[in-house]
Amino acid sequence: MSNEYLLDIRQIMDMLPHRYPFLLVDRVVEFEPGVRLKAYKNVSMNEAFFQGHFPGLPVMPGVLILEALAQAGGVFVMSTIQESLEDKVFLFTGLNKVKFRKPVVPGDRLILKVAYDRHKMNIWRMHGIAEVDGQVVAQGEFSAAVANKGDM
């Protein structure tokens, strides 16, 4: 396991097609190929979704916490597979056993932990935990496919 493995935002943008306001992973801080990845998202009051969710009571939408976990999973898979990523995209295919435990608010650092469960051909299954200050805020199992951009 390497605690020195780091991907910054530029390297993450090379792997994921997402851009502002939908890129939800700021940095990768741990990576064990084929096993797990740890990343984070700094949650700022400047996030576009806080304008409407909710005025006067800003709470990060749960679906965006799951999206952040999925994006971290995408970085995990793209960092694990040994082929060209140039024409590939990582697409959500399913969610299971999702639970939301606590709200995420401006000023929080959302820690994103994803771990490999299994994969068959181009379908990957992982489980993820999102934490703030050591407390679980959301968790679940998810699956995704590595697809060719040209097939979409």
Side-chain angles (χ1 to χ4, degrees):
M1 173 175 34
S2 172
N3 288 338
E4 298 173 16
Y5 188 90
L6 261 162
L7 289 177
D8 64 23
I9 194 66
R10 292 175 303 244
Q11 294 163 308
I12 292 166
M13 288 171 60
D14 286 343
M15 293 182 179
L16 298 178
H18 308 82
R19 297 296 180 263
Y20 176 84
F22 218 70
L23 182 57
L24 301 173
V25 178
D26 291 332
R27 179 157 298 192
V28 173
V29 293
E30 294 178 18
F31 173 60
E32 190 173 351
V35 179
R36 65 181 194 85
L37 178 139
K38 180 179 175 183
Y40 66 78
K41 161 74 177 143
N42 288 317
V43 181
S44 165
M45 187 59 193
N46 293 328
E47 308 284 353
F49 51 79
F50 285 135
Q51 291 178 22
H53 199 269
F54 300 101
L57 184 64
V59 175
M60 184 174 186
V63 295
L64 293 182
I65 297 169
L66 295 179
E67 176 64 27
L69 281 169
Q71 288 181 21
V75 173
F76 168 79
V77 171
M78 296 304 201
S79 296
T80 298
I81 60 177
Q82 299 296 314
E83 60 185 78
S84 172
L85 308 174
E86 195 171 302
D87 297 321
K88 304 288 184 192
V89 65
F90 192 70
L91 302 170
F92 235 157
T93 58
L95 290 167
N96 291 305
K97 300 181 182 174
V98 171
K99 296 196 186 310
F100 298 103
R101 304 289 186 190
K102 295 185 69 136
V104 175
V105 298
D108 285 346
R109 175 173 278 188
L110 189 61
I111 303 298
L112 308 165
K113 298 177 178 179
V114 294
Y116 174 83
D117 286 334
R118 66 187 180 280
H119 80 277
K120 186 174 184 179
M121 297 178 64
N122 69 328
I123 303 293
W124 291 70
R125 297 194 192 285
M126 291 166 268
H127 59 275
I129 296 174
E131 298 177 345
V132 172
D133 296 330
Q135 294 191 323
V136 174
V137 297
Q139 64 192 73
E141 301 170 352
F142 52 96
S143 59
V146 177
N148 294 318
K149 288 180 186 176
D151 294 342
M152 296 184 62

